[in-house]
Amino acid sequence: MVGGKKMVGIIIASHGKFADGILQSGELIFGKQENVKAVTLMPDEGPDDLKAKMQAAVKSFGDPEQVLFLIDLWGGTPFNQANSLYEAHKDKWAMVTGLNLPMLVEAYASRLSMNTAQEIAAHILGTAKDGVKLKPEELAPKETAKKPAPKVGDAGAPGKMSYVLSRIDSRLLHGQVATTWTKTTNPTRIIVVSDAVAKDELRTNLIKQAAPSGVKAHVIPVKQLIKISKDDKHFGGQRALLLFENPEDALRAIEGGVPLKEVNVGSMAHSPGKVQPNKVLAFNQKDIDAFKKMEQEGVKFDVRKVPADKAGNMDEILTKAQNALNKQ
């Protein structure tokens, strides 16, 4: 239950421990989930054992009237046992087979805005199919081959683009960004802002390929972002999710005139000379100074890895980091 709202229950069902593993993978990306159960068919179990597990899972949900089954194979024992339960609830329940990680994460994200199992089932099908990609791309049928992304600077309707999220994350575009944050902020473009990465062709290509379906990814230097932010002739209707590798780059952008009022702080990797006041953030003196200067510019900080996390207190984190550096 989120904000007093009951969430659709999800049962992940598979032959063997696949369901347990993909449940863990989904939590690494989207965070711990309520009303989700993994149900496995083990070698020493029969159909009735599996059905009993499914029934127990349904009873554990806050709203047993809304249940979505995500199943590995159509026609297998997990499907057949889920289907025997589904028949009595087919006006509300739903089943989707071909379980993959994009499907599961999309289902988690969809529960934030959708209230019925059938609505979510219809929505996640496209994402599940889009999650199957091929390299080299020329082996794919021509009608499904990936089209090259337009360059940053392609004209849209008149006006400036809006910034739906500005995030500091040393990992840049990875699973948590490509799934949870894009689903909650709905960007049309993901822009990695880094002088170093913009000069690295391999990293640039990997970032572009990691973009979620329907969202364009770009890598640009800080100066180009500053230039774009002052362009009144392009980017009308564009919703940008900005990714900075470090706070120094974010500060340069803000001091250059990019109108950022809030910065999400997600992950800063540890390296020699840095201190680590919590599990995901590491600082040197330049990092601390950059955050303090951004704060002086009126920037607020949202310290969270994923939207479901409780926000941390940046002032307290910086104080701990500064004290640790002073003791070195």
Side-chain angles (χ1 to χ4, degrees), residues 82-142:
N83 195 44
S84 68
L85 299 174
Y86 163 81
E87 285 299 318
H89 304 272
K90 57 186 177 182
D91 59 327
K92 293 184 179 179
W93 289 11
M95 301 168 58
V96 184
T97 61
L99 173 64
N100 61 20
L101 190 54
M103 174 197 295
L104 178 61
V105 172
E106 186 70 18
Y108 287 168
S110 299
R111 293 199 303 171
L112 300 175
S113 60
M114 298 180 182
N115 299 320
T116 71
Q118 295 186 356
E119 184 182 14
I120 294 173
H123 175 72
I124 66 176
L125 194 59
T127 299
K129 292 179 179 179
D130 287 342
V132 180
K133 299 184 183 296
L134 181 63
K135 279 190 122 6
E137 293 181 359
E138 55 265 26
L139 296 179
K142 291 183 179 179

Side-chain angles (χ1 to χ4, degrees), residues 163 222 225-226 229-230 242 244 252-260:
Y163 304 99
V222 176
L225 176 65
I226 294 171
S229 72
K230 299 174 182 178
L242 304 181
F244 297 96
R252 284 176 56 205
I254 292 166
E255 290 181 334
V258 181
L260 305 182

Side-chain angles (χ1 to χ4, degrees), residues 230-296:
K230 299 174 182 178
D231 187 349
D232 292 322
K233 299 178 181 178
H234 302 284
F235 309 109
Q238 297 294 331
R239 296 168 53 84
L241 188 160
L242 304 181
L243 294 174
F244 297 96
E245 197 169 16
N246 55 64
E248 291 80 16
D249 284 348
L251 175 62
R252 284 176 56 205
I254 292 166
E255 290 181 334
V258 181
L260 305 182
K261 302 301 181 185
E262 182 175 88
V263 172
N264 169 245
V265 185
S267 174
M268 293 172 58
H270 187 271
S271 61
K274 288 196 172 188
V275 296
Q276 196 165 355
N278 64 22
K279 293 181 180 180
V280 296
L281 299 178
F283 302 81
N284 57 25
Q285 192 61 54
K286 287 184 178 180
D287 297 328
I288 293 175
D289 292 344
F291 279 116
K292 289 183 177 179
K293 287 181 180 178
M294 281 190 275
E295 195 169 36
Q296 290 171 3

